[in-house]
Short mmCIF file of all heavy atoms in Angstrom, two decimals:
data_model
loop_
_atom_site.label_atom_id
_atom_site.label_comp_id
_atom_site.label_asym_id
_atom_site.label_seq_id
_atom_site.Cartn_x
_atom_site.Cartn_y
_atom_site.Cartn_z
N HIS A 476 -18.03 -8.95 112.59
CA HIS A 476 -17.73 -10.33 112.23
C HIS A 476 -18.94 -11.24 112.25
O HIS A 476 -19.00 -12.20 111.50
CB HIS A 476 -16.63 -10.88 113.14
CG HIS A 476 -15.30 -10.30 112.81
ND1 HIS A 476 -14.93 -9.04 113.23
CD2 HIS A 476 -14.29 -10.77 112.05
CE1 HIS A 476 -13.73 -8.78 112.75
NE2 HIS A 476 -13.32 -9.80 112.04
N GLU A 477 -19.89 -10.97 113.10
CA GLU A 477 -21.04 -11.88 113.18
C GLU A 477 -22.25 -11.38 112.43
O GLU A 477 -23.10 -12.16 112.02
CB GLU A 477 -21.41 -12.12 114.66
CG GLU A 477 -20.33 -12.89 115.41
CD GLU A 477 -20.58 -12.92 116.90
OE1 GLU A 477 -21.75 -12.91 117.31
OE2 GLU A 477 -19.59 -12.93 117.65
N TYR A 478 -22.36 -10.06 112.24
CA TYR A 478 -23.57 -9.51 111.60
C TYR A 478 -23.26 -8.73 110.33
O TYR A 478 -24.16 -8.25 109.65
CB TYR A 478 -24.33 -8.62 112.60
CG TYR A 478 -24.77 -9.38 113.83
CD1 TYR A 478 -23.95 -9.48 114.94
CD2 TYR A 478 -26.01 -10.03 113.84
CE1 TYR A 478 -24.34 -10.20 116.06
CE2 TYR A 478 -26.40 -10.76 114.96
CZ TYR A 478 -25.57 -10.84 116.07
OH TYR A 478 -25.95 -11.56 117.17
N GLY A 479 -22.00 -8.53 110.01
CA GLY A 479 -21.61 -7.79 108.81
C GLY A 479 -22.00 -6.32 108.88
O GLY A 479 -22.18 -5.66 107.86
N ALA A 480 -22.20 -5.79 110.09
CA ALA A 480 -22.61 -4.39 110.24
C ALA A 480 -21.45 -3.57 110.77
O ALA A 480 -20.57 -4.12 111.43
CB ALA A 480 -23.77 -4.31 111.22
N SER A 481 -21.44 -2.29 110.46
CA SER A 481 -20.36 -1.50 111.05
C SER A 481 -20.91 -0.22 111.65
O SER A 481 -21.90 0.35 111.19
CB SER A 481 -19.26 -1.22 110.04
OG SER A 481 -19.78 -0.51 108.98
N CYS A 482 -20.25 0.19 112.71
CA CYS A 482 -20.70 1.40 113.39
C CYS A 482 -19.50 2.02 114.09
O CYS A 482 -18.43 1.43 114.19
CB CYS A 482 -21.76 1.04 114.44
SG CYS A 482 -21.11 0.13 115.84
N ARG A 483 -19.70 3.24 114.53
CA ARG A 483 -18.71 3.81 115.45
C ARG A 483 -19.47 4.32 116.66
O ARG A 483 -20.71 4.40 116.63
CB ARG A 483 -17.89 4.91 114.78
CG ARG A 483 -18.65 6.12 114.39
CD ARG A 483 -17.76 7.15 113.69
NE ARG A 483 -18.59 8.23 113.20
CZ ARG A 483 -19.02 9.25 113.93
NH1 ARG A 483 -18.68 9.33 115.21
NH2 ARG A 483 -19.80 10.18 113.42
N PHE A 484 -18.73 4.62 117.71
CA PHE A 484 -19.39 5.07 118.94
C PHE A 484 -19.03 6.51 119.22
O PHE A 484 -17.86 6.88 119.16
CB PHE A 484 -18.96 4.19 120.11
CG PHE A 484 -19.43 2.78 119.99
CD1 PHE A 484 -18.53 1.77 119.68
CD2 PHE A 484 -20.76 2.47 120.15
CE1 PHE A 484 -18.97 0.46 119.55
CE2 PHE A 484 -21.21 1.16 120.02
CZ PHE A 484 -20.31 0.16 119.71
N SER A 485 -20.03 7.28 119.52
CA SER A 485 -19.78 8.69 119.83
C SER A 485 -19.99 8.91 121.33
O SER A 485 -21.04 8.55 121.88
CB SER A 485 -20.77 9.51 119.00
OG SER A 485 -20.84 10.79 119.48
N PRO A 486 -18.96 9.45 122.01
CA PRO A 486 -19.07 9.58 123.47
C PRO A 486 -20.27 10.44 123.88
O PRO A 486 -20.64 11.37 123.16
CB PRO A 486 -17.77 10.27 123.87
CG PRO A 486 -16.86 10.11 122.71
CD PRO A 486 -17.70 9.97 121.49
N MET A 487 -20.88 10.11 124.99
CA MET A 487 -22.01 10.88 125.50
C MET A 487 -21.61 11.48 126.85
O MET A 487 -20.94 10.81 127.64
CB MET A 487 -23.21 9.96 125.76
CG MET A 487 -23.72 9.19 124.59
SD MET A 487 -24.80 10.18 123.55
CE MET A 487 -26.24 10.37 124.58
N PRO A 488 -22.03 12.68 127.13
CA PRO A 488 -21.65 13.28 128.41
C PRO A 488 -22.55 12.77 129.55
O PRO A 488 -23.24 13.52 130.20
CB PRO A 488 -21.87 14.77 128.18
CG PRO A 488 -22.95 14.83 127.14
CD PRO A 488 -22.86 13.58 126.32
N ILE A 489 -22.52 11.46 129.75
CA ILE A 489 -23.38 10.87 130.79
C ILE A 489 -22.50 10.02 131.70
O ILE A 489 -21.59 9.34 131.23
CB ILE A 489 -24.45 9.94 130.17
CG1 ILE A 489 -25.25 10.68 129.10
CG2 ILE A 489 -25.36 9.35 131.24
CD1 ILE A 489 -26.14 9.79 128.28
N GLN A 490 -22.76 10.08 132.98
CA GLN A 490 -21.96 9.27 133.91
C GLN A 490 -22.78 8.22 134.65
O GLN A 490 -22.25 7.27 135.18
CB GLN A 490 -21.27 10.16 134.93
CG GLN A 490 -19.96 10.67 134.41
CD GLN A 490 -19.17 11.39 135.48
OE1 GLN A 490 -19.51 11.36 136.65
NE2 GLN A 490 -18.12 12.04 135.06
N LYS A 491 -24.07 8.41 134.69
CA LYS A 491 -24.87 7.50 135.50
C LYS A 491 -26.26 7.36 134.88
O LYS A 491 -26.83 8.35 134.40
CB LYS A 491 -25.00 8.13 136.91
CG LYS A 491 -25.13 7.16 138.03
CD LYS A 491 -23.81 6.55 138.46
CE LYS A 491 -24.07 5.30 139.26
NZ LYS A 491 -22.97 4.38 139.32
N ALA A 492 -26.80 6.16 134.89
CA ALA A 492 -28.18 5.96 134.44
C ALA A 492 -28.95 5.29 135.57
O ALA A 492 -28.46 4.33 136.16
CB ALA A 492 -28.19 5.06 133.21
N CYS A 493 -30.11 5.82 135.89
CA CYS A 493 -30.91 5.20 136.95
C CYS A 493 -32.32 4.98 136.42
O CYS A 493 -32.87 5.85 135.76
CB CYS A 493 -31.10 6.11 138.15
SG CYS A 493 -29.63 6.72 138.80
N TRP A 494 -32.87 3.85 136.76
CA TRP A 494 -34.27 3.62 136.44
C TRP A 494 -35.10 4.49 137.38
O TRP A 494 -34.70 4.69 138.54
CB TRP A 494 -34.62 2.15 136.64
CG TRP A 494 -34.03 1.28 135.58
CD1 TRP A 494 -34.64 0.90 134.42
CD2 TRP A 494 -32.74 0.67 135.57
NE1 TRP A 494 -33.80 0.10 133.68
CE2 TRP A 494 -32.62 -0.06 134.36
CE3 TRP A 494 -31.63 0.67 136.44
CZ2 TRP A 494 -31.49 -0.78 134.01
CZ3 TRP A 494 -30.50 -0.05 136.10
CH2 TRP A 494 -30.43 -0.77 134.90
N ILE A 495 -36.20 5.02 136.88
CA ILE A 495 -37.01 5.88 137.75
C ILE A 495 -38.44 5.36 137.86
O ILE A 495 -39.02 4.86 136.90
CB ILE A 495 -37.03 7.35 137.24
CG1 ILE A 495 -37.24 7.40 135.71
CG2 ILE A 495 -35.79 8.10 137.64
CD1 ILE A 495 -37.43 8.82 135.19
N THR A 496 -38.97 5.48 139.06
CA THR A 496 -40.38 5.16 139.30
C THR A 496 -40.93 6.21 140.25
O THR A 496 -40.17 6.99 140.83
CB THR A 496 -40.56 3.77 139.97
OG1 THR A 496 -39.78 3.75 141.17
CG2 THR A 496 -40.14 2.64 139.08
N ALA A 497 -42.26 6.22 140.43
CA ALA A 497 -42.87 7.13 141.40
C ALA A 497 -44.17 6.49 141.87
O ALA A 497 -44.79 5.72 141.13
CB ALA A 497 -43.15 8.48 140.77
N GLU A 498 -44.52 6.80 143.11
CA GLU A 498 -45.78 6.24 143.59
C GLU A 498 -46.94 6.83 142.82
O GLU A 498 -47.88 6.15 142.45
CB GLU A 498 -45.93 6.50 145.09
CG GLU A 498 -44.92 5.65 145.79
CD GLU A 498 -45.18 5.41 147.25
OE1 GLU A 498 -46.09 6.03 147.80
OE2 GLU A 498 -44.43 4.60 147.79
N LYS A 499 -46.81 8.17 142.56
CA LYS A 499 -47.89 8.82 141.80
C LYS A 499 -47.45 8.92 140.35
O LYS A 499 -46.42 9.54 140.05
CB LYS A 499 -48.15 10.23 142.35
CG LYS A 499 -49.01 10.21 143.60
CD LYS A 499 -49.69 11.57 143.77
CE LYS A 499 -49.23 12.22 145.05
NZ LYS A 499 -49.16 13.64 145.04
N GLN A 500 -48.20 8.32 139.45
CA GLN A 500 -47.86 8.35 138.03
C GLN A 500 -47.72 9.78 137.52
O GLN A 500 -46.86 10.08 136.70
CB GLN A 500 -48.93 7.62 137.22
CG GLN A 500 -48.67 6.13 137.08
CD GLN A 500 -47.26 5.82 136.57
OE1 GLN A 500 -46.84 6.30 135.52
NE2 GLN A 500 -46.50 5.05 137.36
N SER A 501 -48.56 10.70 138.09
CA SER A 501 -48.52 12.09 137.61
C SER A 501 -47.16 12.72 137.93
O SER A 501 -46.63 13.50 137.14
CB SER A 501 -49.66 12.89 138.23
OG SER A 501 -49.59 12.78 139.64
N ASP A 502 -46.56 12.36 139.10
CA ASP A 502 -45.23 12.88 139.44
C ASP A 502 -44.21 12.44 138.39
O ASP A 502 -43.36 13.21 137.95
CB ASP A 502 -44.77 12.33 140.81
CG ASP A 502 -45.50 13.01 141.96
OD1 ASP A 502 -46.28 13.95 141.67
OD2 ASP A 502 -45.30 12.59 143.11
N LEU A 503 -44.32 11.16 138.03
CA LEU A 503 -43.36 10.61 137.07
C LEU A 503 -43.51 11.30 135.71
O LEU A 503 -42.51 11.71 135.09
CB LEU A 503 -43.59 9.09 136.94
CG LEU A 503 -42.56 8.33 136.13
CD1 LEU A 503 -41.18 8.40 136.78
CD2 LEU A 503 -42.96 6.85 135.97
N GLN A 504 -44.76 11.46 135.29
CA GLN A 504 -45.01 12.09 133.99
C GLN A 504 -44.45 13.51 133.97
O GLN A 504 -43.79 13.93 133.01
CB GLN A 504 -46.53 12.14 133.69
CG GLN A 504 -47.17 10.78 133.47
CD GLN A 504 -46.43 9.96 132.42
OE1 GLN A 504 -45.82 10.50 131.50
NE2 GLN A 504 -46.43 8.65 132.58
N GLU A 505 -44.70 14.22 135.06
CA GLU A 505 -44.24 15.61 135.13
C GLU A 505 -42.72 15.70 135.10
O GLU A 505 -42.13 16.49 134.38
CB GLU A 505 -44.76 16.24 136.41
CG GLU A 505 -44.73 17.76 136.35
CD GLU A 505 -45.28 18.34 137.64
OE1 GLU A 505 -46.29 17.81 138.15
OE2 GLU A 505 -44.68 19.30 138.12
N PHE A 506 -42.08 14.80 135.86
CA PHE A 506 -40.61 14.77 135.91
C PHE A 506 -40.06 14.47 134.52
O PHE A 506 -39.12 15.11 134.04
CB PHE A 506 -40.16 13.69 136.91
CG PHE A 506 -38.68 13.53 137.00
CD1 PHE A 506 -37.91 14.41 137.76
CD2 PHE A 506 -38.03 12.49 136.33
CE1 PHE A 506 -36.52 14.27 137.83
CE2 PHE A 506 -36.66 12.34 136.41
CZ PHE A 506 -35.90 13.23 137.17
N MET A 507 -40.67 13.50 133.85
CA MET A 507 -40.17 13.10 132.54
C MET A 507 -40.35 14.20 131.51
O MET A 507 -39.54 14.37 130.60
CB MET A 507 -40.86 11.81 132.08
CG MET A 507 -40.31 10.60 132.82
SD MET A 507 -41.23 9.09 132.59
CE MET A 507 -41.26 8.90 130.84
N LYS A 508 -41.41 14.98 131.67
CA LYS A 508 -41.66 16.07 130.73
C LYS A 508 -40.63 17.18 130.94
O LYS A 508 -39.99 17.66 130.01
CB LYS A 508 -43.07 16.62 130.97
CG LYS A 508 -43.70 17.18 129.71
CD LYS A 508 -45.16 17.36 129.93
CE LYS A 508 -45.50 18.83 129.76
NZ LYS A 508 -46.82 19.16 130.26
N PHE A 509 -40.42 17.48 132.21
CA PHE A 509 -39.50 18.56 132.58
C PHE A 509 -38.06 18.23 132.20
O PHE A 509 -37.27 19.07 131.81
CB PHE A 509 -39.64 18.82 134.09
CG PHE A 509 -38.86 20.01 134.56
CD1 PHE A 509 -39.19 21.28 134.10
CD2 PHE A 509 -37.82 19.86 135.47
CE1 PHE A 509 -38.47 22.37 134.54
CE2 PHE A 509 -37.11 20.95 135.91
CZ PHE A 509 -37.43 22.22 135.44
N ARG A 510 -37.73 16.94 132.31
CA ARG A 510 -36.34 16.49 132.08
C ARG A 510 -36.23 15.70 130.78
O ARG A 510 -35.38 14.80 130.68
CB ARG A 510 -35.90 15.60 133.25
CG ARG A 510 -35.86 16.29 134.58
CD ARG A 510 -34.46 16.66 134.93
NE ARG A 510 -34.39 17.53 136.07
CZ ARG A 510 -33.36 18.31 136.32
NH1 ARG A 510 -32.33 18.34 135.49
NH2 ARG A 510 -33.34 19.07 137.37
N ALA A 511 -37.09 16.01 129.82
CA ALA A 511 -37.19 15.17 128.61
C ALA A 511 -35.84 14.89 127.94
O ALA A 511 -35.60 13.79 127.44
CB ALA A 511 -38.14 15.83 127.62
N GLN A 512 -34.94 15.88 128.00
CA GLN A 512 -33.63 15.71 127.34
C GLN A 512 -32.79 14.62 128.01
O GLN A 512 -31.86 14.11 127.42
CB GLN A 512 -32.83 17.02 127.40
CG GLN A 512 -33.43 18.15 126.61
CD GLN A 512 -33.53 17.80 125.14
OE1 GLN A 512 -32.62 17.21 124.58
NE2 GLN A 512 -34.65 18.13 124.51
N GLN A 513 -33.12 14.35 129.27
CA GLN A 513 -32.29 13.39 130.02
C GLN A 513 -32.99 12.05 130.24
O GLN A 513 -32.55 11.27 131.06
CB GLN A 513 -31.92 13.99 131.38
CG GLN A 513 -30.96 15.15 131.27
CD GLN A 513 -31.02 16.02 132.52
OE1 GLN A 513 -32.03 16.68 132.77
NE2 GLN A 513 -29.97 15.98 133.31
N ILE A 514 -34.10 11.86 129.53
CA ILE A 514 -34.85 10.61 129.75
C ILE A 514 -34.67 9.68 128.54
O ILE A 514 -34.78 10.10 127.40
CB ILE A 514 -36.36 10.89 129.96
CG1 ILE A 514 -36.58 11.83 131.14
CG2 ILE A 514 -37.14 9.59 130.13
CD1 ILE A 514 -36.24 11.27 132.51
N ALA A 515 -34.38 8.44 128.84
CA ALA A 515 -34.30 7.42 127.79
C ALA A 515 -35.19 6.27 128.22
O ALA A 515 -35.75 6.27 129.32
CB ALA A 515 -32.87 6.95 127.64
N GLN A 516 -35.29 5.27 127.34
CA GLN A 516 -36.03 4.06 127.71
C GLN A 516 -35.08 2.88 127.62
O GLN A 516 -34.22 2.85 126.74
CB GLN A 516 -37.17 3.83 126.73
CG GLN A 516 -38.30 4.80 126.92
CD GLN A 516 -39.46 4.44 126.03
OE1 GLN A 516 -39.27 3.95 124.93
NE2 GLN A 516 -40.67 4.68 126.52
N ASP A 517 -35.24 1.92 128.53
CA ASP A 517 -34.41 0.72 128.39
C ASP A 517 -35.12 -0.23 127.42
O ASP A 517 -36.16 0.10 126.85
CB ASP A 517 -34.08 0.09 129.76
CG ASP A 517 -35.26 -0.64 130.39
OD1 ASP A 517 -36.34 -0.69 129.77
OD2 ASP A 517 -35.09 -1.17 131.49
N LYS A 518 -34.55 -1.43 127.26
CA LYS A 518 -35.09 -2.36 126.26
C LYS A 518 -36.52 -2.78 126.55
O LYS A 518 -37.26 -3.16 125.66
CB LYS A 518 -34.23 -3.62 126.26
CG LYS A 518 -33.24 -3.62 125.16
CD LYS A 518 -32.48 -4.91 125.20
CE LYS A 518 -32.63 -5.63 123.92
NZ LYS A 518 -31.74 -6.80 123.84
N ASP A 519 -36.88 -2.74 127.84
CA ASP A 519 -38.24 -3.14 128.20
C ASP A 519 -39.20 -1.96 128.24
O ASP A 519 -40.32 -2.08 128.73
CB ASP A 519 -38.24 -3.82 129.59
CG ASP A 519 -37.34 -5.03 129.61
OD1 ASP A 519 -37.32 -5.74 128.60
OD2 ASP A 519 -36.64 -5.24 130.62
N GLY A 520 -38.73 -0.80 127.80
CA GLY A 520 -39.59 0.37 127.77
C GLY A 520 -39.68 1.10 129.10
O GLY A 520 -40.52 1.98 129.28
N MET A 521 -38.82 0.74 130.06
CA MET A 521 -38.84 1.42 131.36
C MET A 521 -38.08 2.75 131.27
O MET A 521 -37.02 2.81 130.64
CB MET A 521 -38.15 0.57 132.44
CG MET A 521 -38.85 -0.72 132.78
SD MET A 521 -40.44 -0.48 133.57
CE MET A 521 -39.94 0.07 135.19
N PRO A 522 -38.61 3.81 131.91
CA PRO A 522 -37.90 5.08 131.83
C PRO A 522 -36.62 5.10 132.66
O PRO A 522 -36.56 4.53 133.74
CB PRO A 522 -38.91 6.09 132.39
CG PRO A 522 -39.86 5.29 133.19
CD PRO A 522 -39.87 3.90 132.64
N VAL A 523 -35.61 5.75 132.07
CA VAL A 523 -34.29 5.80 132.69
C VAL A 523 -33.83 7.26 132.69
O VAL A 523 -33.98 7.96 131.68
CB VAL A 523 -33.29 4.95 131.87
CG1 VAL A 523 -31.89 5.05 132.44
CG2 VAL A 523 -33.74 3.50 131.81
N PHE A 524 -33.29 7.70 133.80
CA PHE A 524 -32.77 9.07 133.88
C PHE A 524 -31.26 9.03 133.64
O PHE A 524 -30.54 8.26 134.28
CB PHE A 524 -33.06 9.66 135.27
CG PHE A 524 -32.47 11.01 135.48
CD1 PHE A 524 -32.94 12.11 134.76
CD2 PHE A 524 -31.43 11.21 136.38
CE1 PHE A 524 -32.38 13.38 134.94
CE2 PHE A 524 -30.88 12.46 136.57
CZ PHE A 524 -31.36 13.55 135.84
N LEU A 525 -30.80 9.85 132.70
CA LEU A 525 -29.37 9.88 132.37
C LEU A 525 -28.75 11.13 132.98
O LEU A 525 -29.15 12.25 132.64
CB LEU A 525 -29.17 9.90 130.85
CG LEU A 525 -29.85 8.76 130.07
CD1 LEU A 525 -29.71 8.98 128.57
CD2 LEU A 525 -29.27 7.40 130.46
N ALA A 526 -27.78 10.93 133.87
CA ALA A 526 -27.20 12.09 134.56
C ALA A 526 -25.80 12.37 134.05
O ALA A 526 -25.00 11.45 133.83
CB ALA A 526 -27.16 11.82 136.07
N GLU A 527 -25.48 13.67 133.91
CA GLU A 527 -24.15 14.07 133.41
C GLU A 527 -23.07 13.78 134.43
O GLU A 527 -21.92 13.59 134.08
CB GLU A 527 -24.10 15.57 133.10
CG GLU A 527 -25.01 16.06 132.01
CD GLU A 527 -26.35 16.52 132.58
OE1 GLU A 527 -27.00 15.72 133.29
OE2 GLU A 527 -26.77 17.65 132.29
N SER A 528 -23.43 13.82 135.69
CA SER A 528 -22.42 13.60 136.72
C SER A 528 -23.11 13.15 138.00
O SER A 528 -24.34 13.26 138.14
CB SER A 528 -21.66 14.90 137.00
OG SER A 528 -22.56 15.83 137.57
N GLU A 529 -22.30 12.65 138.91
CA GLU A 529 -22.81 12.23 140.22
C GLU A 529 -23.48 13.42 140.91
O GLU A 529 -24.49 13.30 141.57
CB GLU A 529 -21.66 11.76 141.12
CG GLU A 529 -21.00 10.48 140.68
CD GLU A 529 -21.68 9.25 141.25
OE1 GLU A 529 -22.56 9.41 142.10
OE2 GLU A 529 -21.32 8.15 140.82
N TRP A 530 -22.84 14.58 140.72
CA TRP A 530 -23.33 15.79 141.38
C TRP A 530 -24.73 16.13 140.88
O TRP A 530 -25.64 16.39 141.67
CB TRP A 530 -22.34 16.94 141.12
CG TRP A 530 -22.73 18.18 141.84
CD1 TRP A 530 -22.45 18.49 143.13
CD2 TRP A 530 -23.48 19.28 141.31
NE1 TRP A 530 -22.99 19.71 143.46
CE2 TRP A 530 -23.62 20.22 142.36
CE3 TRP A 530 -24.06 19.55 140.06
CZ2 TRP A 530 -24.32 21.42 142.19
CZ3 TRP A 530 -24.73 20.75 139.89
CH2 TRP A 530 -24.87 21.67 140.96
N VAL A 531 -24.89 16.11 139.54
CA VAL A 531 -26.21 16.41 138.97
C VAL A 531 -27.23 15.41 139.49
O VAL A 531 -28.34 15.77 139.90
CB VAL A 531 -26.15 16.35 137.41
CG1 VAL A 531 -27.55 16.39 136.82
CG2 VAL A 531 -25.30 17.48 136.87
N LEU A 532 -26.83 14.15 139.52
CA LEU A 532 -27.76 13.12 139.98
C LEU A 532 -28.21 13.39 141.42
O LEU A 532 -29.40 13.35 141.73
CB LEU A 532 -27.10 11.74 139.87
CG LEU A 532 -27.94 10.57 140.35
CD1 LEU A 532 -29.21 10.43 139.52
CD2 LEU A 532 -27.15 9.26 140.28
N ARG A 533 -27.22 13.70 142.26
CA ARG A 533 -27.57 13.95 143.67
C ARG A 533 -28.52 15.12 143.80
O ARG A 533 -29.50 15.09 144.53
CB ARG A 533 -26.29 14.22 144.48
CG ARG A 533 -25.73 12.98 145.14
CD ARG A 533 -24.91 13.31 146.37
NE ARG A 533 -23.93 14.35 146.14
CZ ARG A 533 -22.73 14.15 145.61
NH1 ARG A 533 -22.37 12.93 145.26
NH2 ARG A 533 -21.89 15.15 145.43
N MET A 534 -28.23 16.17 143.01
CA MET A 534 -29.05 17.37 143.07
C MET A 534 -30.49 17.05 142.61
O MET A 534 -31.46 17.43 143.26
CB MET A 534 -28.43 18.43 142.17
CG MET A 534 -29.03 19.78 142.30
SD MET A 534 -28.48 20.80 140.94
CE MET A 534 -29.26 20.02 139.55
N VAL A 535 -30.59 16.34 141.50
CA VAL A 535 -31.92 16.01 140.96
C VAL A 535 -32.68 15.11 141.96
O VAL A 535 -33.88 15.27 142.16
CB VAL A 535 -31.78 15.33 139.57
CG1 VAL A 535 -33.13 14.83 139.08
CG2 VAL A 535 -31.20 16.31 138.57
N MET A 536 -31.95 14.20 142.59
CA MET A 536 -32.61 13.32 143.57
C MET A 536 -33.15 14.14 144.74
O MET A 536 -34.27 13.92 145.20
CB MET A 536 -31.62 12.25 144.08
CG MET A 536 -31.39 11.14 143.08
SD MET A 536 -29.99 10.08 143.51
CE MET A 536 -30.73 8.99 144.68
N GLU A 537 -32.33 15.09 145.20
CA GLU A 537 -32.76 15.92 146.34
C GLU A 537 -33.99 16.75 145.98
O GLU A 537 -34.91 16.90 146.77
CB GLU A 537 -31.63 16.85 146.76
CG GLU A 537 -30.73 16.21 147.81
CD GLU A 537 -29.48 17.03 148.05
OE1 GLU A 537 -29.54 18.27 147.92
OE2 GLU A 537 -28.44 16.41 148.35
N LYS A 538 -33.98 17.27 144.75
CA LYS A 538 -35.07 18.17 144.35
C LYS A 538 -36.36 17.43 144.02
O LYS A 538 -37.40 18.06 143.86
CB LYS A 538 -34.64 18.97 143.11
CG LYS A 538 -33.72 20.11 143.44
CD LYS A 538 -33.70 21.08 142.29
CE LYS A 538 -32.89 22.30 142.61
NZ LYS A 538 -32.43 22.99 141.44
N ASN A 539 -36.27 16.12 143.84
CA ASN A 539 -37.46 15.38 143.43
C ASN A 539 -37.74 14.21 144.37
O ASN A 539 -37.60 13.04 144.00
CB ASN A 539 -37.27 14.85 142.00
CG ASN A 539 -37.18 15.96 140.99
OD1 ASN A 539 -38.19 16.49 140.54
ND2 ASN A 539 -35.96 16.36 140.67
N PRO A 540 -38.15 14.52 145.59
CA PRO A 540 -38.35 13.44 146.57
C PRO A 540 -39.45 12.46 146.17
O PRO A 540 -39.48 11.33 146.67
CB PRO A 540 -38.72 14.19 147.86
CG PRO A 540 -39.12 15.56 147.44
CD PRO A 540 -38.43 15.86 146.15
N GLY A 541 -40.32 12.87 145.27
CA GLY A 541 -41.42 11.96 144.87
C GLY A 541 -40.97 10.91 143.87
O GLY A 541 -41.72 10.00 143.52
N ILE A 542 -39.74 11.05 143.36
CA ILE A 542 -39.26 10.10 142.34
C ILE A 542 -38.27 9.13 142.98
O ILE A 542 -37.39 9.55 143.73
CB ILE A 542 -38.53 10.86 141.20
CG1 ILE A 542 -39.43 11.95 140.61
CG2 ILE A 542 -38.02 9.91 140.13
CD1 ILE A 542 -40.60 11.46 139.81
#
Side-chain angles (χ1 to χ4, degrees):
H476 287 79
E477 293 170 31
Y478 299 89
S481 60
C482 70
R483 65 182 173 81
F484 294 107
S485 164
M487 301 279 290
I489 306 170
Q490 274 189 9
K491 210 80 198 159
C493 307
W494 287 268
I495 44 173
T496 55
E498 290 199 352
K499 279 203 243 148
Q500 272 309 304
S501 55
D502 285 356
L503 188 63
Q504 293 308 331
E505 199 179 319
F506 177 80
M507 285 170 55
K508 210 165 119 194
F509 187 64
R510 298 259 170 202
Q512 294 300 318
Q513 291 159 292
I514 302 293
Q516 287 186 327
D517 75 0
K518 261 183 122 171
D519 302 322
M521 294 293 287
V523 177
F524 176 67
L525 305 174
E527 296 92 306
S528 66
E529 292 271 353
W530 184 83
V531 169
L532 179 62
R533 266 206 311 277
M534 190 194 67
V535 173
M536 283 168 82
E537 271 170 31
K538 282 198 175 158
N539 295 277
I542 305 290

